[in-house]
Amino acid sequence: MDPRPRPPEHSSPVPWQDLAGRQILLTGGTGFIGCNLIEAYTRAWEHFRLNGRISVLTRNPVAFLQRAPHLARHPALRLVEGDLGRACPAEFPCDHMIHSALEHGDPLDLMERNLRAMSNLLELAHRCGVGRVLFTSSGAVYGPQPPDLECLDEDYGGAPTFGADGAYGELKRASELLGLLAGDRHGFDFLIARCYSFLGPWLTLRDSRAAGNFIANALAGQPIEVKGDGRPWRSYLHGEDLAEWLWTILLQGGHGRPYNVGSDEPIRIADLAERTRNLLAPDAEVRIALEPGPGPAPRYVPSTERARLELGLSARVGLDEAILRTARWNTRRGRTQ
């Protein structure tokens, strides 16, 4: 069964016709963000007869074909084998780029490989004469959120923790600056999407993120386990909304102007566990590993006012529906672990 979501609606905020006949280069196409971007694009390609193409730059086209065969075989998609962390690909026709790839590793490898990949991508953007480059950054660029700030806006002047623990946030900050400087020098628009936390298709259920593990436990009939004390605040945007936001930022965002991408409706991790249990496995037990810690609870929640006021974006899938859709999608694909 093809688990793809509903076709794009005419009420979509994305100006899809602006992509008619356009050539897009996407990195990170096999990840959560990339797959949701491709899902949205292929549906719009069929619905609006866009007659363009996405070229997905990947180190392993065979792995992508195995992970998402209905996407890899779509006529709107072209797989291009390459590794930006090693070399800049040869020039090819391209109107816009989306850079969502991330090479993992220890803090030093993380910085070196990903900054090299960003530099190579920006050089390729210059060679190809692209108009716009979208970079999927992160809320980690702000550093720890002060507990007295309910939501962080894009003008917050914080910074990641210095040292190895802050490598990811520093990488994203440095990549934003590289892109802005390259866009200024070479004349293309550089768009910044600071991404937060998500649910939806292509989410890996068993990893370090609480929301996916809660869903996996519920689907497996296991106790829903909160590893910490359950006090931290998070918020979750569904993958369909994520894709619409990113495509809209690519096409309508301002050069060098960052936009938070996420939900501004906070929920405590313990309450998320309870919500997941109530929706998916009412008889399951919720276990919280630790007693409440001292001091204010950590927060990781964005303000989305800029995206709402400037680009007309909103979260159209509520949290309960996002949990249910994530569970259904993974169940249909047999991905419950």
Side-chain angles (χ1 to χ4, degrees):
M1 179 187 299
D2 184 349
R4 301 171 68 185
R6 66 184 187 278
E9 299 173 356
H10 291 289
S11 60
S12 169
V14 185
W16 287 114
Q17 294 295 353
D18 290 354
L19 290 176
R22 298 292 187 179
Q23 301 291 316
I24 312 295
L25 174 67
L26 171 65
T27 71
T30 61
F32 173 81
I33 291 177
C35 284
N36 276 284
L37 283 168
I38 296 170
E39 291 274 18
Y41 178 83
T42 54
R43 294 194 306 271
W45 189 89
E46 297 165 2
H47 188 77
F48 297 107
R49 301 181 181 180
L50 296 179
N51 197 32
R53 175 177 285 182
I54 287 187
S55 295
V56 177
L57 186 66
T58 174
R59 294 190 300 271
N60 192 339
V62 174
F64 183 79
L65 178 63
Q66 293 172 342
R67 174 172 167 78
H70 71 286
L71 297 181
R73 296 191 177 102
H74 196 280
L77 195 78
R78 178 176 66 150
L79 297 179
V80 179
E81 187 169 2
D83 184 353
L84 278 173
R86 295 181 178 273
C88 186
E91 181 178 342
F92 57 89
C94 183
D95 298 296
H96 305 310
M97 293 180 174
I98 302 174
H99 185 39
S100 68
L102 178 69
E103 286 197 52
H104 297 278
D106 65 37
L108 181 59
D109 286 343
L110 179 78
M111 296 291 290
E112 289 182 340
R113 293 176 184 173
N114 288 285
L115 288 176
R116 188 181 308 119
M118 172 59 87
S119 294
N120 285 336
L121 178 98
L122 295 170
E123 173 61 26
L124 182 62
H126 172 47
R127 285 191 211 166
C128 296
V130 302
R132 298 171 76 81
V133 177
L134 172 64
F135 173 56
T136 58
S137 186
S138 168
V141 302
Y142 301 116
Q145 180 170 340
D148 59 336
L149 286 182
E150 183 174 346
C151 300
L152 283 186
D153 65 30
E154 293 86 348
D155 294 325
Y156 175 70
T161 303
F162 184 74
D165 289 344
Y168 177 72
E170 291 288 3
L171 165 66
K172 292 296 188 178
R173 284 167 63 92
S175 298
E176 287 184 12
L177 181 57
L178 277 176
L180 175 62
L181 296 175
D184 287 343
R185 173 177 291 182
H186 300 306
F188 56 79
D189 289 329
F190 185 74
L191 300 316
I192 300 167
R194 291 176 176 166
C195 299
Y196 274 75
S197 302
F198 305 100
L199 288 165
W202 307 103
L203 182 74
T204 300
L205 295 185
R206 294 293 190 189
D207 63 8
S208 61
R209 290 166 291 195
N213 282 293
F214 294 165
I215 292 172
N217 287 355
L219 294 177
Q222 300 169 349
I224 298 173
E225 298 183 340
V226 179
K227 303 299 184 183
D229 64 7
R231 295 189 310 132
W233 294 89
R234 295 291 187 271
S235 61
Y236 296 90
L237 188 71
H238 190 264
E240 286 185 29
D241 288 325
L242 164 67
E244 286 194 339
W245 285 40
L246 293 180
W247 283 114
T248 301
I249 293 169
L250 171 68
L251 296 171
Q252 296 190 320
H255 168 59
R257 187 162 177 77
Y259 298 89
N260 287 337
V261 176
S263 168
D264 57 6
E265 296 185 12
I267 184 170
R268 290 184 185 273
I269 292 298
D271 294 333
L272 177 66
E274 295 279 355
R275 186 85 66 92
T276 303
R277 187 269 306 275
N278 293 341
L279 289 169
L280 300 179
D283 295 329
E285 178 186 2
V286 173
R287 298 175 180 173
I288 299 178
L290 304 177
E291 294 296 322
R299 301 182 72 87
Y300 188 62
V301 181
S303 166
T304 59
E305 183 177 14
R306 178 176 293 179
R308 183 174 68 254
L309 295 181
E310 295 185 9
L311 303 176
L313 296 170
S314 63
R316 302 204 285 179
V317 180
L319 178 59
D320 285 0
E321 184 65 19
I323 293 170
L324 290 169
R325 288 193 193 184
T326 304
R328 291 189 201 114
W329 187 89
N330 281 280
T331 299
R332 285 196 296 263
R333 293 177 62 89
R335 298 172 76 243
T336 58
Q337 295 293 327

